[in-house]
Amino acid sequence: MMLVTAIVKPFALGDVRAAFERMDIAGMTVSEASGYGRQRGHTEVYRGAEYRIDFVPKTRLEILTRDDDAERVATAVQDAARTDKIGDGKVWILDVEAAYRIRTCEAGEDAL
Ligand SMILES: Nc1ncnc2c1ncn2[C@@H]1O[C@H](COP(=O)(O)OP(=O)(O)OP(=O)(O)O)[C@@H](O)[C@H]1O
Ligand SMILES: [Mg+2]
């Protein structure tokens, strides 16, 4: 299994979700996040407000996937969240050693 983690602009969430609904994605975790990238200290715009603070509001997505699905999930996030402006975010993929579905005790890819 793989863990795809993405940090995207908050308003991109709807488009990412819509993209996942067209794919066979079983679940996702969404959290509020904040951070900065390469333009540390430079201005970013969020909901019409300019942020010149250290941390810009972002949305964090976590998707556990089968090994074979991770790349296309990461690509779908990029395609859905890209505005071609600074601050579009990052997506990365990690190997996952184990996962369990708590209700059924299923393990591994069956647990996703
Ligand atoms: N190296 C990193 N490690 C962890 N999180 C990061 C890293 N870089 C960026 N992020 C997270 O992603 C968010 C968006 O990053 P951002 O898109 O600004 O990256 P960037 O490299 O500056 O790209 P761009 O030039 O397009 O702005 C940041 O606010 C932060 O939450
Ligand atoms: Mg940036």
Side-chain angles (χ1 to χ4, degrees), residues 36-104:
Y36 62 83
R38 296 186 188 195
Q39 295 83 13
R40 181 173 47 215
H42 288 180
T43 302
E44 264 194 49
V45 177
Y46 169 62
R47 287 193 173 163
E50 283 195 347
Y51 279 81
R52 213 191 150 74
I53 53 171
D54 291 340
F55 302 105
V56 181
K58 299 289 173 186
T59 296
R60 179 190 181 101
L61 312 175
E62 291 168 289
I63 307 103
L64 278 172
T65 72
R66 297 169 182 277
D67 289 351
D68 292 346
D69 288 340
E71 282 294 339
R72 73 188 183 100
V73 166
T75 300
V77 171
Q78 292 178 81
D79 290 345
R82 185 180 301 110
T83 69
D84 294 321
K85 301 213 169 67
I86 60 168
D88 275 350
K90 304 266 186 200
V91 54
W92 58 86
I93 300 172
L94 293 176
D95 257 313
V96 171
E97 265 184 43
Y100 304 94
R101 187 179 185 187
I102 292 174
R103 176 171 62 85
T104 58

Side-chain angles (χ1 to χ4, degrees), residues 3-26:
L3 175 63
V4 181
T5 301
I7 308 291
V8 300
K9 290 179 173 170
F11 62 73
L13 178 60
D15 287 343
V16 172
R17 174 111 204 240
F20 285 173
E21 266 162 22
R22 294 190 292 270
M23 304 164 67
D24 189 22
I25 302 303

